């Protein structure tokens, strides 16, 4: 038994190496149809789009698809063909992530992503990036058709990707509409825990947490409603936990570690920090937030961050992280009776106390 964790660690490292090595093959498969004389410019352009935007993240979502599948299938039943399909599905999740991020960076006027300039900020790109985001999404369905068309779970997985995209688009809409304001002063009444929770559920939790495991379930032949419902409940809770961390890191994280400059304050975002601040402020502090939250000047950002410090939001976050992690572990223990618990504990442990 003592070599169990070591074997698992080696298996994870092997999966990472195989996963990374598969990307060039998939890149060729989704671009080769346009490698002709009359479409060569598009071929060259889209190869660069994919190389720049897809393979350079942490790849947690894609690898979670592979590792979840491993947890669901007995080792002697695991074939190289099915493992490759799991990796293809993992890259499809990474393509979906890249599609969302390219578009999101334009909508948020972001400057950096993963430690490098956002794609639309690159020379000669600009608003062409909108079309590029459409292209990235289309690659998902090219790969699904090639690898899954004759599989019994093809329709379920197609539906899952479409439904996840549909939900994420609604979450993005809530995020943008809540942040938008034509008024000189921010409407703080929009920043409630209810709106934050709903936005997170649809914008982040479904595609970042629910999707990878749901794909693994279908690939493993698990299609019953009960298993998917339990998985969804746990993973949506995890997605909420993840986004709270993200909002904290936006304000307090090190850009050299996170790979991006935080901008939630100046972007007028309904972040966890502003929601918690509004639960603690007195009338004069609330007036300060009304005057300065959502403003891009350095003085306003400093005033908001100083108020966060006075309200001791760092400690509020530390307490939340501990309580939320314990709650998540309880839910996994109590609810997860028909699926391997280690799928969910593995996810939780990866994000607990993360710094990026």
């Amino acid at each position: 038994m003592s070599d169990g964790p070591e074997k698992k660690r080696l298996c994870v490292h092997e999966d990472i190496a195989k996963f990374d090595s598969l990307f060039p093959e998939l890149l060729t498969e989704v671009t080769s149809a346009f490698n002709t004389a009359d479409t060569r410019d598009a071929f060259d352009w889209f190869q660069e789009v994919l190389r720049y935007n897809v393979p350079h993240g942490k790849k947690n979502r894609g690898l979670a698809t592979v590792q979840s599948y491993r947890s669901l299938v007995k080792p002697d039943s695991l074939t190289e063909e099915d493992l490759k399909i799991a990796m293809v599905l993992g890259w499809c999740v990474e393509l979906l992530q890249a599609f969302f991020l390219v578009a999101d960076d334009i909508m948020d006027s972001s400057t950096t992503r993963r430690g490098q300039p956002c794609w639309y900020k690159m020379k000669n790109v600009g608003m062409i990036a909108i079309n590029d985001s459409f292209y990235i999404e289309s690659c998902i369905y090219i790969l699904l058709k090639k690898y899954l068309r004759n599989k019994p779970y093809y329709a379920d997985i197609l539906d899952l990707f479409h439904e996840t995209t549909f939900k994420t688009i609604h979450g993005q809409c809530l995020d943008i509409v809540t942040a938008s304001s034509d008024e000189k002063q921010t409407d703080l009444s929009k920043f409630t825990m209810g709106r934050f929770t709903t936005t997170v559920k649809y914008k982040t939790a479904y595609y970042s947490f629910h999707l990878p495991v749901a794909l693994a379930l279908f690939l493993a032949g698990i299609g019953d409603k009960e298993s998917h419902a339990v998985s969804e409940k746990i993973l949506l809770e995890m997605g909420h936990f993840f986004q709270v961390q993200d909002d904290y890191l936006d304000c307090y994280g090190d850009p050299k570690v996170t790979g991006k400059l935080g901008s939630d304050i100046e972007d007028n975002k309904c972040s966890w920090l502003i929601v918690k601040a509004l639960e603690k402020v007195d009338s004069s502090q609330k007036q300060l937030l009304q005057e300065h939250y959502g403003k891009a000047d350095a003085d306003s950002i400093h005033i908001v961050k100083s108020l966060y410090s006075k309200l001791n939001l760092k400690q509020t976050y530390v307490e939340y992280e501990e309580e939320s992690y314990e709650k998540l572990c309880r839910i996994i223990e109590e609810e997860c009776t028909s699926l391997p618990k280690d799928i969910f504990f593995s996810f939780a442990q990866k994000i607990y106390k993360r710094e990026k």
Side-chain angles (χ1 to χ4, degrees):
M1 293 294 290
S2 60
D3 65 347
E6 180 64 17
K7 283 185 177 180
K8 186 173 182 180
R9 186 183 68 80
L10 290 172
C11 189
V12 169
H13 283 294
E14 288 175 6
D15 281 347
I16 292 171
K18 288 181 179 179
F19 191 73
D20 287 340
S21 68
L22 181 60
F23 181 74
E25 179 184 335
L26 301 183
L27 176 72
T28 299
E29 288 175 351
V30 297
T31 57
S32 59
F34 287 88
N35 189 13
T36 60
D38 56 343
T39 57
R40 184 63 51 78
D41 286 346
F43 169 80
D44 292 339
W45 181 270
F46 287 131
Q47 283 226 329
E48 181 59 22
V49 168
L50 295 175
R51 288 195 188 101
Y52 191 90
N53 292 290
V54 181
H56 303 298
K58 297 185 289 290
K59 299 185 277 276
N60 286 340
R61 296 164 182 83
L63 289 166
T65 307
V66 180
Q67 290 155 16
S68 297
Y69 178 63
R70 276 196 181 276
S71 297
L72 292 165
V73 179
K74 293 179 180 179
D76 57 358
S77 300
L78 187 65
T79 67
E80 284 300 317
E81 179 189 359
D82 287 339
L83 185 59
K84 182 175 182 179
I85 289 175
M87 291 188 177
V88 171
L89 289 174
W91 275 116
C92 286
V93 176
E94 292 298 318
L95 285 163
L96 188 68
Q97 158 87 337
F99 157 52
F100 290 146
L101 295 185
V102 169
D104 185 66
D105 286 342
I106 297 170
M107 288 181 266
D108 286 349
S109 300
S110 299
T111 56
T112 59
R113 170 72 65 181
R114 296 169 174 169
Q116 59 187 10
C118 296
W119 175 242
Y120 82 100
K121 287 287 188 180
M122 294 294 287
K123 184 179 180 181
N124 299 325
V125 178
M127 291 303 103
I128 299 173
I130 296 172
N131 190 57
D132 295 338
S133 73
F134 300 156
Y135 173 76
I136 294 170
E137 185 196 21
S138 72
C139 292
I140 296 168
Y141 300 101
I142 293 171
L143 292 174
L144 293 181
K145 183 178 179 180
K146 176 177 174 60
Y147 285 94
L148 274 65
R149 188 170 188 174
N150 296 318
K151 301 294 184 181
Y153 44 74
Y154 181 43
D156 287 323
I157 286 178
L158 273 179
D159 285 346
L160 181 59
F161 270 102
H162 286 307
E163 289 166 4
T164 301
T165 302
F166 190 66
K167 288 170 180 173
T168 307
I169 290 168
H170 279 76
Q172 177 74 352
C173 178
L174 287 173
D175 182 47
I176 295 170
V177 169
T178 307
S180 65
S181 176
D182 294 328
E183 303 171 11
K184 291 183 179 179
Q185 284 192 342
T186 296
D187 180 7
L188 298 177
S189 67
K190 296 188 293 184
F191 300 146
T192 66
M193 189 56 73
R195 173 51 65 94
F196 172 79
T197 299
T198 303
T199 302
V200 168
K201 176 181 177 181
Y202 289 105
K203 183 181 178 182
T204 301
Y206 272 109
Y207 94 87
S208 293
F209 291 88
H210 174 251
L211 175 62
V213 178
L215 288 170
L217 289 173
F218 281 128
L219 182 56
I222 302 171
D224 64 281
K225 290 183 179 180
E226 182 182 353
S227 294
H228 280 266
V230 168
S231 174
E232 181 176 343
K233 179 179 179 179
I234 294 169
L235 294 164
L236 293 184
E237 183 72 31
M238 206 175 295
H240 186 279
F241 177 59
F242 178 88
Q243 188 59 51
V244 172
Q245 292 176 311
D246 228 36
D247 289 356
Y248 177 82
L249 292 172
D250 182 272
C251 184
Y252 295 112
D254 181 353
K256 292 179 181 177
V257 177
T258 63
K260 59 183 179 179
L261 297 171
S263 61
D264 283 355
I265 292 172
E266 54 263 50
D267 289 344
N268 202 41
K269 292 290 186 175
C270 180
S271 80
W272 185 82
L273 290 172
I274 187 65
V275 171
K276 298 306 289 185
L278 289 170
E279 292 177 0
K280 293 171 172 278
V281 292
D282 58 28
S283 58
S284 62
Q285 291 170 328
K286 185 174 182 180
Q287 183 61 37
L288 273 178
L289 289 175
Q290 284 185 322
E291 292 172 1
H292 296 285
Y293 195 79
K295 303 296 188 298
D297 62 282
D299 287 342
S300 289
I301 294 169
H302 176 72
I303 288 169
V304 172
K305 287 189 174 183
S306 295
L307 182 54
Y308 283 177
S309 294
K310 289 179 183 177
L311 295 171
N312 204 18
L313 290 190
K314 279 190 174 182
Q315 183 58 34
T316 301
Y317 170 77
V318 170
E319 292 170 2
Y320 164 83
E321 186 175 39
E322 291 302 321
E323 292 169 3
S324 185
Y325 182 72
E326 290 174 7
K327 177 186 176 183
L328 189 56
C329 290
R330 283 198 307 272
I331 293 173
I332 294 170
E333 285 290 356
E334 293 168 4
E335 300 281 344
C336 193
T337 57
S338 60
L339 296 171
K341 291 184 174 67
D342 66 304
I343 294 177
F344 306 102
F345 280 125
S346 176
F347 242 136
Q349 288 160 6
K350 282 179 183 176
I351 64 173
Y352 180 54
K353 292 191 179 297
R354 70 188 178 95
E355 296 182 352
K356 61 180 181 179

